Amino acid sequence: MVGFFQNAVKLNLALQGGGAHGAFTWGVLDRLLEEERLEIGWVSGTSAGAVNAVALAAGLAEGGPQGAREKLREVWQAVYKAGVPDLLRLNPFLYSMTRSSFGQMAGLMSPYEFNPLGFDPLRELLVRAIDFECLRAQAPVGLVIAATEVASGRAHFFRAHEITVESVLASACLPTLHRAVQIGGMAYWDGGFSANPDLITVVRESPLSDTLLVMVNPRERMELPTGSREISGHINHITFNAPLRRDVELIETLRQESKKSWFNRATLAGKLQRHRFHVVDAGRYTAALKHETKMKPDWGLFTYLHGAGRTETHKWLDRHRRDVGRRETARLGERILGEPVLAHEPGIDEGASGTGVGPLIASDVGEVLVRRA
């Protein structure tokens, strides 16, 4: 495999959240780690993407690529074994009511009511699987873990040197299921509300100029939701896709503006103009799954999505490994926003378009940058 391509594949990774559907990202990482000359720069992760990110980084620190593959499998097996029922067994009455749908129960009571002790199976399995002290001291990759400040709604980014189990729990804290995570006197909810995943910080701070975005959530769901559970699920779908759409709007706006006037190469606009984005997309798989499958740790689902992630990554590598470092292979504006890109570039994936959303006007850019600072 080493002789197949001339140079190392040098990539940042941006890992979207998506609950149990994050097993697709596990498959993506599992296949990437088989590349003997893969170099990972920074990893941006949110929610399930944050879990994958810290498992990847911890595994690399302890045992290189093979150690990372084993660590990812260990974490996902632990997620399956812990499962949601472990939480509900603290309250047998609720468990008997909700064996069919934990998500439906979450709409009836707050986590402060049905889980008064604040027990979280994810905390226990992360503490067992991840050596956070080692990770902070020897992180082999840059990390950007996103959580949302409850008070302001702003994104907060935890870097490698400050990653703790609380950071990861904050990034994955759905407020209907878990109490807000307190860190330094600040309460945090799921990072998917504000950055899912963050792209801007990675472009600004990573020395690499290629980022692979792993998308877990489908860009659109065509069926009209009519039942209460379907409506709730679709609201969540829109909510957790919105931050990525906002980032892509900002990227497209700054790129267009940089074509009109001179930008210093060191500015964000200059970096975005030169940055190359790539995408591995789970949409064709997750669009066919019901919303509630995100909430149900199931090994059959995990292995299906893991295999799908490996398959899609293998196809992407076959088609584009030589493009990394040379050209962008994903038109983010077209893929995420459904907006046409005027200039065709060789190597660009056409992809499926999403629902169109108007671009940010120039006056909005400064406000967005202030929020993301």
Side-chain angles (χ1 to χ4, degrees):
M1 187 179 298
V2 172
F4 181 81
F5 51 101
Q6 298 296 318
N7 301 307
V9 178
K10 301 180 180 181
L11 284 170
N12 301 309
L13 301 173
L15 312 180
Q16 192 175 47
H21 295 178
F24 177 88
T25 303
W26 166 31
V28 172
L29 299 178
D30 192 48
R31 177 61 186 88
L32 286 175
L33 289 164
E34 292 179 345
E35 294 293 305
E36 296 179 13
R37 298 185 65 186
L38 171 69
E39 179 180 325
I40 300 174
W42 283 57
V43 184
S44 170
T46 298
S47 198
V51 175
N52 279 315
V54 297
L56 169 69
L60 288 172
E62 295 174 13
Q66 185 57 34
R69 295 183 67 197
E70 293 170 0
K71 184 67 68 178
L72 283 158
R73 174 169 287 275
E74 176 187 353
V75 167
W76 280 95
Q77 285 179 331
V79 168
Y80 164 67
K81 291 176 182 178
V84 173
D86 283 356
L87 172 64
L88 294 178
R89 287 192 185 103
L90 292 173
N91 191 321
F93 172 70
L94 287 176
Y95 179 51
S96 66
M97 286 178 58
T98 60
R99 294 181 65 166
S100 61
S101 177
F102 182 61
Q104 188 176 21
M105 180 273 292
L108 302 177
M109 302 179 70
S110 87
Y112 298 86
E113 295 170 321
F114 69 75
N115 184 20
L117 299 180
F119 178 69
D120 187 347
L122 183 58
R123 174 186 292 276
E124 306 304 316
L125 73 88
L126 287 174
V127 169
R128 287 195 300 268
I130 308 295
D131 185 340
F132 284 95
E133 184 176 351
C134 174
L135 179 60
R136 290 190 296 273
Q138 305 177 33
V141 296
L143 286 172
V144 181
I145 302 302
T148 302
E149 296 178 359
V150 176
S152 66
R154 292 178 57 174
H156 182 96
F157 302 114
F158 297 95
R159 306 308 205 280
H161 68 277
E162 55 186 348
I163 298 296
T164 64
V165 65
E166 283 77 19
S167 308
V168 184
L169 293 174
S171 184
C173 178
L174 287 173
T176 55
L177 301 182
H178 305 291
R179 295 181 173 198
V181 177
Q182 300 284 339
I183 303 175
M186 181 73 69
Y188 294 97
W189 280 345
D190 197 294
F193 293 116
S194 56
N196 193 23
D198 170 75
L199 297 177
I200 304 302
T201 304
V202 169
V203 172
R204 182 190 286 124
E205 300 184 12
S206 171
L208 301 186
S209 296
D210 289 81
T211 295
L212 176 65
L213 168 63
V214 182
M215 294 180 59
V216 173
N217 300 322
R219 292 180 295 278
E220 57 185 23
R221 288 183 177 271
M222 298 307 298
E223 72 278 7
L224 177 65
T226 55
S228 59
R229 289 165 60 184
E230 289 75 20
I231 291 172
S232 177
H234 198 70
I235 289 172
N236 287 334
H237 170 75
I238 293 172
T239 299
F240 287 110
N241 275 355
L244 177 60
R245 299 174 74 89
R246 182 200 58 215
D247 271 12
V248 173
E249 287 177 338
L250 176 59
I251 290 167
E252 292 299 304
T253 297
L254 287 176
R255 282 179 164 183
Q256 291 301 316
E257 290 298 316
S258 68
K259 293 178 181 178
K260 301 175 184 177
S261 58
W262 181 86
F263 276 86
N264 187 298
R265 290 174 63 87
T267 64
L268 177 59
K271 290 181 177 180
L272 284 171
Q273 187 62 36
R274 301 189 311 276
H275 205 84
R276 296 173 290 271
F277 288 100
H278 315 273
V279 172
V280 174
D281 191 353
R284 61 180 293 193
Y285 303 95
T286 57
L289 298 173
K290 294 182 178 180
H291 294 288
E292 53 263 34
T293 58
K294 287 185 176 184
M295 310 284 291
K296 295 180 179 179
D298 177 84
W299 191 246
L301 175 67
F302 286 178
T303 54
Y304 166 69
L305 290 174
H306 171 267
R310 285 186 56 87
T311 297
E312 292 302 311
T313 306
H314 187 82
K315 291 192 294 185
W316 180 82
L317 285 167
D318 276 354
R319 184 176 182 185
H320 293 306
R321 70 158 49 83
R322 287 191 179 93
D323 293 322
V324 177
R326 298 180 180 179
R327 60 178 64 88
E328 185 168 90
T329 63
R331 303 168 183 263
L332 291 186
E334 210 168 87
R335 293 180 70 99
I336 310 301
L337 307 177
E339 296 175 352
V341 177
L342 299 179
H344 179 75
E345 298 179 28
I348 295 288
D349 276 334
E350 296 302 326
S353 296
T355 304
V357 172
L360 291 174
I361 60 175
S363 60
D364 292 331
V365 173
E367 182 181 352
V368 173
L369 287 176
V370 168
R371 292 175 184 167
R372 303 301 297 270

